[in-house]
Amino acid sequence: MWQQTLITLRARPRGFHLVTEELLAGLPEIKACRVGLLHLWLQHTSASLTINENADPAVRRDFERFFNRLIPQGTDGYEHNDEGLDDLPAHFKASVLGCQISLPVTAGRLALGTWQGVYLGEHRDHGGARKVLATLHGEGA
């Protein structure tokens, strides 16, 4: 089976956000997959996808603090600031973290570990809704 769906994630403020359930809501076909892979491709250059802690929201806040220290906003010497001071730093953060992940699917569910979830890293102050192309490949139940 092959299934490809464009999922629009609601707009979020700058920071790291757990989006696992929103992604799954946009791809109900996953329940019919016995074994497979789900590839998620974020169609933006100023946001990112990654896997990490799904229980303690402090981890997501600490991610934001860490990446803001690693790639500060308002640093002199950058040319690309067409959309504001957060523009180029958002691109840097997106490149460090990446725009795609592949996840195993087992018995109609993501085979995530107990404490794992999918994060959207929103690196713009006002990034808006984000689009994720979800491609599911596997054997039906």
Side-chain angles (χ1 to χ4, degrees):
M1 79 183 266
W2 282 93
Q3 172 70 36
Q4 192 169 71
T5 304
L6 186 62
I7 300 168
T8 301
L9 300 175
R10 65 180 171 79
R12 289 175 165 79
R14 183 172 166 162
F16 287 83
H17 307 278
L18 194 59
V19 295
T20 313
E21 294 306 318
E22 189 174 357
L23 290 165
L24 290 172
L27 192 66
E29 298 84 358
I30 200 168
K31 293 175 184 167
C33 185
R34 186 180 66 77
V35 61
L37 284 173
L38 174 62
H39 183 260
L40 300 173
W41 178 265
L42 181 66
Q43 296 183 320
H44 302 275
T45 61
S46 58
S48 60
L49 292 175
T50 192
I51 304 291
N52 217 292
E53 164 79 44
N54 71 355
D56 185 356
V59 175
R60 295 187 297 279
R61 292 189 301 270
D62 286 338
F63 258 62
E64 178 66 8
R65 281 189 280 276
F66 171 80
F67 278 97
N68 287 338
R69 282 194 307 268
L70 181 67
I71 304 169
Q73 185 171 301
T75 302
D76 291 336
Y78 298 139
E79 289 182 54
H80 182 75
N81 60 7
D82 297 341
E83 297 177 22
L85 293 177
D86 66 339
D87 196 3
L88 190 61
H91 294 306
F92 287 156
K93 292 171 187 178
S95 285
V96 168
L97 287 161
C99 66
Q100 64 180 321
I101 54 177
S102 291
L103 302 162
V105 177
T106 303
R109 301 182 61 198
L110 293 178
L112 293 167
T114 302
W115 305 110
Q116 290 180 319
V118 179
Y119 285 13
L120 170 71
E122 176 53 70
H123 308 306
R124 297 299 309 270
D125 291 332
H126 306 287
R130 299 298 191 166
K131 295 187 183 305
V132 176
L133 187 63
T135 303
L136 178 63
H137 177 227
E139 294 180 17

